[in-house]
Amino acid sequence: MRSLLGILLVCISGTTTMPSSQSNKLPDPTTKPWTVVEGGITRADTSKKQLALIFTGGDFGEGATHILDILKSHNIKASFFVTGDFLRKRQLLEPLKRAIADGHYVGPHSDKHPLYCPWEDRKKTLVTEQEFKQDLQKNIDDLKKLGALKAGLTYFIPPYEWYNADQSRWSREMNILLFNFTPGSGSNRDWAPEDHKSFVPSQKIIDDILTYEKKDLHGLNGFLLLLHVGSQRQDKTFLLLDPLLTKLEKRGYTFARIDEILAP
């Protein structure tokens, strides 16, 4: 009788720990319906009318509270990725804690926001493996102290959204999944200030996203749509988030966190 009870307890214990183990296992991107560039995932399954909102923050985060309010009003969960420099700004900690409390994914964007490879030669690596891993681990440790990344796989979007196969491989060695935004819509241009050559008015950025949705064969299916939590520009794109989400919802899109749309 005791022997049978022991077997039952082992079986029960095994079934309770298995899901946690599976959720922490890195998937092989080549076996998934994902787009992969330099080892990093740039688009999820295009057969599903679903996309992920990705917000990154480095030096600026003045839009955090407004963004969280809009997401709450639409009952949408998004993903926020911030640097160590972002975390070291006291005024930005409360909205970040709220993002965690509201159920959004909050993950790493590097500690010091280094450039991993030259813009003109992506194959060349500017940081050592040790520098990369130490910088990223510090960012992760600080986020955990804040209450983020409590369980499951860690997702990571590189600084400047620029990387190569070295960083993808080093991330995997740390059991971290590197991804990047889906190119094409031009949403990532919302960082550029008015005096920069890359500046585009916010309304045009929003219009271009919606125009691209009609041009792409798959629309925005599986899109990892990148916007910034803040910027030094005066024309704040995040103020147009509400009408953007309303129009995308009317077109039939649903929204998922990064750990849902890129689930193992």
Side-chain angles (χ1 to χ4, degrees):
M1 192 67 176
R2 288 180 181 176
S3 175
L4 179 59
L5 179 60
I7 292 172
L8 287 171
L9 287 172
V10 169
C11 291
I12 292 170
S13 175
T15 56
T16 56
T17 57
M18 192 177 296
S20 174
S21 168
Q22 289 176 342
S23 65
N24 286 313
K25 185 178 179 181
L26 274 174
D28 180 356
T30 61
T31 65
K32 300 286 186 178
W34 299 337
T35 302
V36 180
V37 176
E38 292 287 324
I41 303 159
T42 60
R43 192 166 186 171
D45 188 351
T46 57
S47 69
K48 298 178 180 179
K49 206 172 178 66
Q50 183 182 60
L51 65 133
L53 293 172
I54 310 297
F55 295 94
T56 60
D59 293 328
F60 302 91
E62 75 281 359
T65 298
H66 178 80
I67 291 169
L68 290 170
D69 288 343
I70 297 302
L71 292 173
K72 186 174 183 179
S73 70
H74 286 262
N75 194 27
I76 288 173
K77 302 303 180 189
S79 303
F80 293 80
F81 293 85
V82 297
T83 65
D85 291 334
F86 189 100
L87 291 172
R88 284 182 277 274
K89 296 186 177 182
R90 290 181 175 272
Q91 70 272 22
L92 298 178
L93 290 182
E94 286 309 312
L96 202 57
K97 289 178 182 177
R98 177 188 164 186
I100 297 170
D102 284 356
H104 302 291
Y105 187 92
V106 176
H109 191 40
S110 81
D111 184 57
K112 291 291 189 179
H113 207 261
L115 183 64
Y116 292 151
C117 42
W119 296 108
E120 67 279 3
D121 184 6
R122 189 175 194 175
K123 298 296 182 180
K124 182 179 179 181
T125 298
L126 298 175
V127 295
T128 67
E129 180 178 350
Q130 182 180 17
E131 289 170 340
F132 170 84
K133 290 183 175 180
Q134 287 180 344
D135 175 86
L136 180 53
Q137 189 61 56
K138 169 130 177 51
N139 192 203
I140 290 171
D141 291 344
D142 289 345
L143 283 166
K144 286 183 176 180
K145 291 176 185 176
L146 200 65
L149 305 175
K150 287 185 176 179
L153 189 62
T154 296
Y155 294 79
F156 162 58
I157 185 167
Y160 298 104
E161 294 75 53
W162 193 239
Y163 67 99
N164 63 27
D166 285 341
Q167 291 83 55
S168 297
R169 183 178 69 256
W170 296 337
S171 295
R172 293 185 68 83
E173 291 172 359
M174 297 173 71
N175 203 42
I176 295 167
L177 192 64
L178 185 150
F179 75 95
N180 200 19
F181 72 92
T182 308
S185 73
S187 66
N188 58 305
R189 298 172 295 176
D190 64 337
W191 68 271
E194 280 76 359
D195 59 353
H196 196 280
K197 64 179 181 180
S198 298
F199 173 77
V200 177
S202 291
Q203 188 58 59
K204 178 167 174 51
I205 291 175
I206 299 301
D207 292 343
D208 285 350
I209 294 171
L210 296 170
T211 299
Y212 186 83
E213 189 270 337
K214 292 184 177 181
K215 290 195 307 183
D216 191 298
L217 177 64
H218 301 290
L220 296 181
N221 292 8
F223 232 73
L224 310 179
L225 188 69
L226 177 72
L227 294 164
H228 290 84
V229 184
S231 72
Q232 66 267 51
R233 59 190 281 155
Q234 299 304 307
D235 180 18
K236 307 293 186 182
T237 308
F238 60 75
L239 294 176
L240 297 178
L241 180 62
D242 184 45
L244 172 64
L245 297 183
T246 298
K247 289 178 181 179
L248 290 176
E249 287 171 326
K250 286 182 178 179
R251 295 185 185 186
Y253 288 95
T254 59
F255 301 84
R257 296 185 355 163
I258 191 67
D259 57 336
E260 295 169 336
I261 203 167
L262 296 180

